[in-house]
Coordinates of all heavy atoms in Angstrom, one line a residue:
E189 N -12.3 13.6 11.0 CA -11.0 13.2 10.4 C -10.4 12.0 11.2 O -9.5 11.3 10.7 CB -10.0 14.3 10.3 CG -9.7 15.0 11.6 CD -10.5 16.3 11.8 OE1 -11.6 16.4 11.2 OE2 -10.0 17.2 12.4
F190 N -10.7 11.9 12.5 CA -10.3 10.7 13.2 C -10.8 9.4 12.6 O -10.1 8.4 12.6 CB -10.7 10.8 14.7 CG -9.8 11.7 15.5 CD1 -10.0 13.1 15.7 CD2 -8.7 11.2 16.2 CE1 -9.2 13.9 16.4 CE2 -7.9 12.0 17.0 CZ -8.1 13.3 17.1
L191 N -12.1 9.4 12.3 CA -12.7 8.2 11.7 C -12.1 8.0 10.3 O -11.9 6.8 9.9 CB -14.2 8.4 11.6 CG -14.8 8.7 13.0 CD1 -16.3 8.9 12.8 CD2 -14.5 7.6 14.0
V192 N -11.8 9.0 9.5 CA -11.2 8.9 8.2 C -9.8 8.2 8.3 O -9.5 7.3 7.6 CB -11.1 10.2 7.5 CG1 -10.3 10.1 6.2 CG2 -12.5 10.8 7.2
M193 N -9.1 8.7 9.3 CA -7.7 8.1 9.5 C -7.8 6.7 10.0 O -7.0 5.8 9.5 CB -7.0 8.9 10.6 CG -5.6 8.4 10.9 SD -4.5 8.4 9.4 CE -4.2 10.1 9.1
A194 N -8.8 6.3 10.8 CA -9.0 5.0 11.2 C -9.2 4.1 9.9 O -8.7 3.0 9.8 CB -10.2 4.8 12.1
T195 N -10.1 4.6 9.0 CA -10.3 3.8 7.8 C -9.1 3.7 7.0 O -8.8 2.6 6.4 CB -11.4 4.5 7.0 OG1 -12.6 4.7 7.7 CG2 -11.8 3.8 5.7
T196 N -8.3 4.7 6.9 CA -7.0 4.7 6.1 C -6.1 3.7 6.7 O -5.4 2.9 6.0 CB -6.3 6.1 6.1 OG1 -7.3 7.0 5.6 CG2 -5.1 6.1 5.3
L197 N -5.9 3.6 8.0 CA -5.1 2.7 8.7 C -5.5 1.3 8.4 O -4.7 0.4 8.2 CB -5.0 3.0 10.2 CG -4.3 4.2 10.6 CD1 -4.5 4.5 12.1 CD2 -2.8 4.1 10.3
M198 N -6.8 1.0 8.5 CA -7.3 -0.3 8.2 C -7.0 -0.7 6.8 O -6.7 -1.9 6.5 CB -8.8 -0.4 8.5 CG -9.2 -0.1 10.0 SD -8.5 -1.4 11.1 CE -9.5 -2.8 10.6
M199 N -7.2 0.2 5.8 CA -6.9 -0.1 4.4 C -5.4 -0.4 4.2 O -5.1 -1.4 3.5 CB -7.3 1.1 3.6 CG -7.1 0.8 2.1 SD -7.4 2.3 1.1 CE -6.0 3.4 1.6
I200 N -4.5 0.4 4.8 CA -3.1 0.1 4.7 C -2.8 -1.2 5.3 O -2.0 -2.0 4.8 CB -2.3 1.2 5.4 CG1 -2.5 2.6 4.7 CG2 -0.8 0.9 5.4 CD1 -1.8 3.7 5.3
K201 N -3.4 -1.5 6.5 CA -3.1 -2.8 7.2 C -3.5 -4.0 6.3 O -2.8 -5.0 6.1 CB -3.9 -2.8 8.5 CG -3.7 -4.1 9.2 CD -4.6 -4.1 10.5 CE -4.6 -5.5 11.2 NZ -5.4 -5.5 12.4
S202 N -4.7 -3.9 5.6 CA -5.1 -4.9 4.7 C -4.2 -5.1 3.5 O -4.0 -6.2 3.1 CB -6.6 -4.7 4.3 OG -6.7 -3.5 3.5
R203 N -3.7 -4.0 3.0 CA -2.8 -4.1 1.8 C -1.5 -4.7 2.2 O -0.9 -5.4 1.4 CB -2.6 -2.7 1.2 CG -3.9 -2.1 0.5 CD -3.5 -0.8 -0.2 NE -2.6 -1.1 -1.3 CZ -2.0 -0.1 -2.0 NH1 -2.2 1.1 -1.7 NH2 -1.1 -0.5 -3.0
M204 N -1.1 -4.4 3.4 CA 0.2 -5.0 3.9 C 0.1 -6.5 4.0 O 1.1 -7.2 4.0 CB 0.6 -4.4 5.2 CG 1.0 -2.9 5.2 SD 2.5 -2.6 4.3 CE 3.7 -3.4 5.4
L205 N -1.1 -7.0 4.2 CA -1.3 -8.5 4.4 C -1.4 -9.2 3.0 O -1.3 -10.4 3.0 CB -2.6 -8.7 5.2 CG -2.6 -8.3 6.6 CD1 -4.0 -8.5 7.2 CD2 -1.6 -9.0 7.4
L206 N -1.6 -8.4 1.9 CA -1.7 -9.1 0.6 C -0.3 -9.6 0.2 O 0.7 -9.0 0.5 CB -2.2 -8.1 -0.4 CG -3.6 -7.6 -0.2 CD1 -4.0 -6.5 -1.3 CD2 -4.6 -8.8 -0.4
P207 N -0.2 -10.6 -0.6 CA 1.0 -11.1 -1.2 C 1.6 -10.0 -2.1 O 0.9 -9.2 -2.7 CB 0.6 -12.3 -2.1 CG -0.7 -12.7 -1.5 CD -1.4 -11.5 -1.0
V208 N 2.9 -9.9 -2.2 CA 3.6 -8.9 -2.9 C 3.2 -8.9 -4.4 O 2.9 -7.8 -5.0 CB 5.1 -9.1 -2.9 CG1 5.8 -8.1 -3.8 CG2 5.6 -8.9 -1.4
I209 N 2.9 -10.0 -5.0 CA 2.5 -10.1 -6.4 C 1.2 -9.5 -6.6 O 0.9 -8.9 -7.7 CB 2.6 -11.6 -6.9 CG1 2.4 -11.6 -8.4 CG2 1.4 -12.4 -6.2 CD1 2.6 -13.0 -9.0
A210 N 0.3 -9.5 -5.6 CA -1.0 -8.9 -5.7 C -1.0 -7.4 -5.6 O -2.0 -6.8 -5.9 CB -1.9 -9.5 -4.6
R211 N 0.1 -6.8 -5.2 CA 0.2 -5.4 -5.0 C 0.6 -4.7 -6.3 O 0.6 -3.5 -6.3 CB 1.1 -5.0 -3.8 CG 0.7 -5.7 -2.5 CD 1.7 -5.3 -1.4 NE 1.6 -6.2 -0.3 CZ 2.5 -6.2 0.7 NH1 3.6 -5.4 0.7 NH2 2.4 -7.0 1.7
R212 N 1.1 -5.5 -7.2 CA 1.6 -4.8 -8.5 C 0.4 -4.5 -9.3 O -0.7 -5.0 -9.2 CB 2.5 -5.8 -9.2 CG 3.7 -6.3 -8.5 CD 4.7 -6.9 -9.4 NE 5.8 -7.5 -8.7 CZ 5.9 -8.8 -8.4 NH1 5.0 -9.6 -8.8 NH2 7.0 -9.2 -7.7
G213 N 0.6 -3.5 -10.2 CA -0.4 -3.1 -11.1 C -0.6 -4.1 -12.2 O 0.2 -5.0 -12.4
E214 N -1.8 -4.1 -12.8 CA -2.1 -5.0 -13.8 C -1.2 -4.9 -15.0 O -0.8 -3.7 -15.5 CB -3.5 -4.8 -14.3 CG -4.6 -5.2 -13.2 CD -6.0 -5.1 -13.7 OE1 -6.1 -4.8 -14.9 OE2 -6.9 -5.2 -12.9
G215 N -0.7 -6.0 -15.6 CA 0.1 -5.9 -16.8 C 1.6 -5.7 -16.5 O 2.4 -5.6 -17.5
E216 N 2.0 -5.5 -15.2 CA 3.4 -5.3 -14.9 C 4.1 -6.6 -14.8 O 3.7 -7.5 -14.1 CB 3.5 -4.5 -13.6 CG 3.0 -3.0 -13.7 CD 3.2 -2.3 -12.4 OE1 3.1 -2.9 -11.4 OE2 3.3 -1.1 -12.5
D217 N 5.3 -6.6 -15.4 CA 6.2 -7.8 -15.3 C 6.8 -7.8 -13.9 O 7.0 -6.7 -13.3 CB 7.2 -7.8 -16.4 CG 6.6 -8.0 -17.7 OD1 5.5 -8.6 -17.8 OD2 7.2 -7.5 -18.7
E218 N 7.3 -9.0 -13.5 CA 7.9 -9.1 -12.2 C 9.2 -8.3 -12.1 O 9.5 -7.7 -11.1 CB 8.2 -10.5 -11.9 CG 8.8 -10.8 -10.5 CD 9.0 -12.2 -10.2 OE1 8.4 -13.1 -11.0 OE2 9.6 -12.5 -9.2
E219 N 9.9 -8.2 -13.3 CA 11.2 -7.5 -13.2 C 11.0 -6.0 -13.4 O 11.8 -5.2 -12.8 CB 12.1 -8.0 -14.4 CG 12.5 -9.5 -14.3 CD 13.3 -9.9 -15.4 OE1 13.6 -9.1 -16.3 OE2 13.8 -11.1 -15.4
E220 N 10.0 -5.6 -14.1 CA 9.8 -4.2 -14.3 C 9.0 -3.5 -13.2 O 9.1 -2.3 -13.0 CB 9.0 -4.0 -15.7 CG 9.8 -4.5 -16.9 CD 8.9 -4.3 -18.1 OE1 7.7 -3.9 -18.0 OE2 9.5 -4.6 -19.2
A221 N 8.2 -4.3 -12.6 CA 7.3 -3.7 -11.5 C 8.1 -3.3 -10.3 O 9.1 -3.9 -9.9 CB 6.2 -4.7 -11.1
E222 N 7.7 -2.1 -9.8 CA 8.4 -1.6 -8.6 C 7.3 -1.5 -7.5 O 6.3 -0.8 -7.6 CB 8.9 -0.2 -8.9 CG 9.6 0.4 -7.6 CD 10.2 1.8 -7.9 OE1 10.1 2.2 -9.1 OE2 10.6 2.4 -7.0
W223 N 7.6 -2.3 -6.5 CA 6.6 -2.4 -5.4 C 6.6 -1.1 -4.6 O 7.6 -0.6 -4.2 CB 6.9 -3.6 -4.5 CG 6.0 -3.6 -3.3 CD1 4.6 -3.8 -3.3 CD2 6.4 -3.3 -1.9 NE1 4.1 -3.7 -2.0 CE2 5.2 -3.4 -1.1 CE3 7.6 -3.1 -1.3 CZ2 5.2 -3.3 0.2 CZ3 7.6 -2.9 0.1 CH2 6.4 -3.0 0.8
I224 N 5.4 -0.5 -4.4 CA 5.3 0.7 -3.6 C 4.7 0.4 -2.3 O 3.6 -0.2 -2.2 CB 4.4 1.7 -4.4 CG1 4.9 2.1 -5.7 CG2 4.2 3.0 -3.5 CD1 4.1 3.0 -6.5
D225 N 5.4 0.7 -1.2 CA 5.0 0.5 0.1 C 3.7 1.2 0.4 O 3.6 2.4 0.2 CB 6.0 0.9 1.1 CG 5.8 0.4 2.5 OD1 4.6 0.3 2.9 OD2 6.8 0.1 3.2
P226 N 2.6 0.5 0.8 CA 1.3 1.2 1.1 C 1.4 2.2 2.2 O 0.5 3.1 2.3 CB 0.4 0.0 1.5 CG 1.1 -1.2 1.0 CD 2.5 -0.9 1.0
R227 N 2.5 2.2 3.0 CA 2.6 3.1 4.1 C 3.2 4.5 3.7 O 3.2 5.4 4.4 CB 3.5 2.5 5.2 CG 2.9 1.2 5.8 CD 3.9 0.6 6.7 NE 5.1 0.2 5.9 CZ 6.2 -0.4 6.5 NH1 6.2 -0.7 7.8 NH2 7.2 -0.8 5.7
M228 N 3.8 4.5 2.4 CA 4.6 5.7 2.1 C 3.8 7.0 2.0 O 4.3 8.0 2.4 CB 5.2 5.4 0.7 CG 6.5 4.6 0.7 SD 7.8 5.3 1.8 CE 7.6 4.3 3.3
E229 N 2.6 7.0 1.6 CA 1.8 8.2 1.5 C 1.5 8.7 2.9 O 1.6 9.9 3.2 CB 0.4 7.9 0.8 CG -0.5 9.1 0.7 CD 0.1 10.3 0.0 OE1 1.0 10.1 -0.8 OE2 -0.3 11.5 0.3
L230 N 1.2 7.8 3.9 CA 1.0 8.2 5.2 C 2.3 8.7 5.9 O 2.3 9.7 6.6 CB 0.5 7.0 6.1 CG 0.2 7.2 7.5 CD1 -0.8 8.3 7.8 CD2 -0.1 5.9 8.2
V231 N 3.4 8.1 5.6 CA 4.7 8.5 6.1 C 5.0 9.9 5.6 O 5.5 10.8 6.3 CB 5.8 7.6 5.7 CG1 7.2 8.2 5.9 CG2 5.7 6.2 6.4
R232 N 4.7 10.2 4.3 CA 4.9 11.5 3.7 C 4.1 12.6 4.4 O 4.6 13.6 4.8 CB 4.6 11.5 2.2 CG 4.9 12.8 1.5 CD 4.3 12.8 0.1 NE 2.8 12.8 0.2 CZ 2.1 13.9 0.5 NH1 2.6 15.0 0.8 NH2 0.7 13.7 0.6
Q233 N 2.8 12.2 4.7 CA 2.0 13.2 5.4 C 2.5 13.4 6.8 O 2.5 14.6 7.3 CB 0.6 12.6 5.5 CG -0.2 12.5 4.2 CD -1.6 12.0 4.3 OE1 -2.3 12.3 5.3 NE2 -2.0 11.1 3.4

């Protein structure tokens, strides 16, 4: 699970580097889309 968490952190780190527009789901308008922080699931855990 230490290695799994390392992979998760690297994935979150890479998503944080993406432009905000690239994090929205496909077909979502700029006004309707709600950006979800990639860290939130980890914070919840």
